Amino acid sequence: DTGVSQNPRHKITKRGQNVTFRCDPISEHNRLYWYRQTLGQGPEFLTYFQNEAQLEKSRLLSDRFSAERPKGSFSTLEIQRTEQGDSAMYLCASSLGTGHPGDTQYFGPGTRLTVL
Amino acid sequence: AQKITQTQPGMFVQEKEAVTLDCTYDTSDQSYGLFWYKQPSSGEMIFLIYQGSYDEQNATEGRYSLNFQKARKSANLVISASQLGDSAMYFCAMRVYNQGGKLIFGQGTELSVKP
């Protein structure tokens, strides 16, 4: 059983550059989530998709951030004009999408972004 | 507002002993789920155990059990027979049924298992 995969695992970029991350969920999972985790903190929710529809976006997701899941399979998270404050671990998770509170989210290994 | 509080930034336990990691939560909703995840230094969040708000029995998964006290709004994780590989960050998280799909996480507890 293949888990959630994320690419790249590490990304170093200069301030002002654009970056894009990719997430491939578990194949039968309908929901896909993005979280951001800064050092010493728990993950913070950014956005999630039910199939290809983006159902919720956090206030953390400024207009420099955009996420897509065009065919309801993999997803991309793009950050435009990166800032040093964007340095964090970006985690992707997927779930079956039952809507029940116990709909368990399984996480990928994360993409660690460093903005110089 | 929903909130998860983990008051123990760091914990030490001797190998083979049991340890309890504390978690309290705040929500006015009646239908919610509580989760514990383990995050080793590699960074991946590993699902450990789930407890539903309507579950009458405490959840157990192998060496992990969840001490759920609804009236106190606490959901403590108990790890029995600690192993060196249990050294990691542990996060408590909550999902409220009518608040979409997001998980709300606490700040985590760093567990160190001593040989």
Side-chain angles (χ1 to χ4, degrees):
Chain A
D1 184 22
T2 305
V4 178
S5 61
Q6 292 186 246
N7 287 289
R9 294 292 307 276
H10 302 273
K11 179 71 177 179
I12 300 174
T13 191
K14 293 182 179 179
R15 189 177 54 187
Q17 298 293 307
N18 299 343
V19 294
T20 301
F21 311 140
R22 175 177 170 129
C23 172
D24 288 88
I26 295 171
S27 59
E28 66 268 25
H29 284 186
N30 294 320
R31 286 197 177 180
L32 187 149
Y33 311 79
W34 286 99
Y35 293 85
R36 182 173 69 185
Q37 185 178 24
T38 53
L39 205 61
Q41 303 294 317
E44 295 175 294
F45 170 77
L46 292 178
T47 187
Y48 87 96
F49 294 83
Q50 175 84 31
N51 299 313
E52 65 274 10
Q54 189 173 19
L55 295 188
E56 186 176 352
K57 292 195 293 186
S58 163
R59 291 171 299 164
L60 292 175
L61 213 65
S62 76
D63 55 6
R64 296 186 298 108
F65 287 70
S66 62
E68 294 182 342
R69 194 183 182 197
K71 296 183 179 179
S73 56
F74 72 91
S75 175
T76 57
L77 178 68
E78 181 183 15
I79 309 174
Q80 296 183 328
R81 305 181 302 282
T82 53
E83 301 173 356
Q84 288 185 326
D86 297 331
S87 295
M89 175 78 90
Y90 290 84
L91 294 165
C92 176
S94 69
S95 72
L96 285 170
T98 63
H100 186 272
D103 184 29
T104 300
Q105 296 179 28
Y106 296 91
F107 283 78
T111 295
R112 185 170 296 281
L113 173 67
T114 302
V115 182
L116 301 176
Chain B
Q2 284 80 25
K3 187 178 179 181
I4 294 284
T5 302
Q6 294 180 255
T7 57
Q8 306 154 313
M11 290 279 287
F12 289 91
V13 65
Q14 206 69 33
E15 192 179 8
K16 300 181 184 178
E17 292 186 350
V19 63
T20 298
L21 306 183
D22 294 342
C23 171
T24 58
Y25 60 93
D26 188 16
T27 181
S28 56
D29 289 82
Q30 297 302 308
S31 183
Y32 52 88
L34 297 156
F35 300 80
W36 277 92
Y37 285 86
K38 172 184 177 181
Q39 188 176 42
S41 56
S42 59
E44 184 169 353
M45 301 284 285
I46 302 168
F47 166 69
L48 297 178
I49 196 167
Y50 161 77
Q51 178 84 41
S53 59
Y54 295 115
D55 295 341
E56 294 186 352
Q57 296 206 343
N58 287 341
T60 59
E61 288 285 350
R63 294 186 299 110
Y64 303 108
S65 60
L66 201 152
N67 185 0
F68 181 47
Q69 297 187 43
K70 196 170 182 178
R72 293 186 175 186
K73 295 191 174 180
S74 73
N76 298 339
L77 177 70
V78 180
I79 305 174
S80 63
S82 297
Q83 302 172 355
L84 295 178
D86 294 334
S87 294
M89 285 291 293
Y90 288 81
F91 290 95
C92 180
M94 174 172 64
R95 177 168 178 248
V96 176
Y97 183 64
N98 65 358
Q99 294 290 323
K102 63 177 175 283
L103 286 173
I104 299 161
F105 285 86
Q107 291 203 309
T109 295
E110 184 173 10
L111 178 66
S112 298
V113 181
K114 293 184 172 181

